[in-house]
Amino acid sequence: TMSTAFFIVLDNKAPGFETFVNGKSLAKDSEGLDKIAEALGIRLLDEFVSYSPEEARAMMEEMGGDPVEIEAIKLPDQTWYDPEEGLTWVRQMITHLQAAPSAVKHPEGVLEDLQEYQAVLEQAKAVGAKWNLQVDF
């Protein structure tokens, strides 16, 4: 769907700043971004996505899965990333897109999202919070 968005979640629920990022342009252009990531030899955007086992099970049930089967699945623990890792990724993407905007369909929107990510990750780094991405469908 068009309303998918990648948003940032911090391990600190009250970091003292706004963590909202739009993330819709990144979702719309995820194929182009994946191609860039592959070319640069860096993580794909989805590789930063991580849920707790409870959240993952709840999502599977919402999508119509069998609760008994879902309960039996061994799910990985939630992974949290260092903000510096995210900042490095975001900066590499921004640099690439400024040089080659045609690599994605909506370069302006994508760059805006990346700059929002950068701002949140810089603040996360300042307060020592870890982060990951989640997807809003």
Side-chain angles (χ1 to χ4, degrees), residues 3-4 6 8 17 20 23-24 27 31 36 40 48 55 60 64-65 68 75 85 100-102 110 118 125 130:
S3 63
T4 309
F6 286 95
I8 292 179
F17 58 87
F20 177 79
K24 281 188 182 164
E31 279 174 38
I36 296 169
L40 295 176
F48 286 114
E55 288 169 322
M60 289 178 197
V68 179
L75 293 164
E85 235 182 305
S102 61
V110 169
Q118 189 172 359
K125 185 179 168 180
K130 297 233 188 297

Side-chain angles (χ1 to χ4, degrees), residues 4-47:
T4 309
F6 286 95
F7 63 98
I8 292 179
V9 178
L10 301 182
D11 63 353
N12 177 344
K13 296 294 173 224
F17 58 87
E18 178 55 76
T19 60
F20 177 79
V21 287
N22 188 313
K24 281 188 182 164
S25 295
L26 294 181
K28 278 182 203 162
D29 259 320
S30 59
E31 279 174 38
L33 291 168
D34 285 352
K35 286 191 183 119
I36 296 169
E38 281 165 8
L40 295 176
I42 59 178
R43 278 176 196 272
L44 303 182
L45 193 60
D46 325 358
E47 290 176 24

Side-chain angles (χ1 to χ4, degrees), residues 27-106:
K28 278 182 203 162
D29 259 320
S30 59
E31 279 174 38
L33 291 168
D34 285 352
K35 286 191 183 119
I36 296 169
E38 281 165 8
L40 295 176
I42 59 178
R43 278 176 196 272
L44 303 182
L45 193 60
D46 325 358
E47 290 176 24
F48 286 114
V49 174
S50 183
Y51 293 92
S52 69
E54 299 74 45
E55 288 169 322
R57 287 194 178 95
M59 285 167 65
M60 289 178 197
E61 285 189 27
E62 272 171 36
M63 290 173 187
D66 176 340
V68 179
E69 283 173 23
I70 292 167
E71 203 46 53
I73 301 170
K74 178 87 185 87
L75 293 164
D77 285 335
Q78 191 160 19
T79 309
W80 295 100
Y81 298 95
D82 191 297
E84 196 50 57
E85 235 182 305
L87 285 166
T88 302
W89 190 94
V90 165
R91 288 187 198 112
Q92 285 174 291
M93 278 291 179
I94 289 174
T95 304
H96 186 91
L97 285 169
Q98 284 169 339
S102 61
V104 292
K105 295 187 189 92
H106 311 96

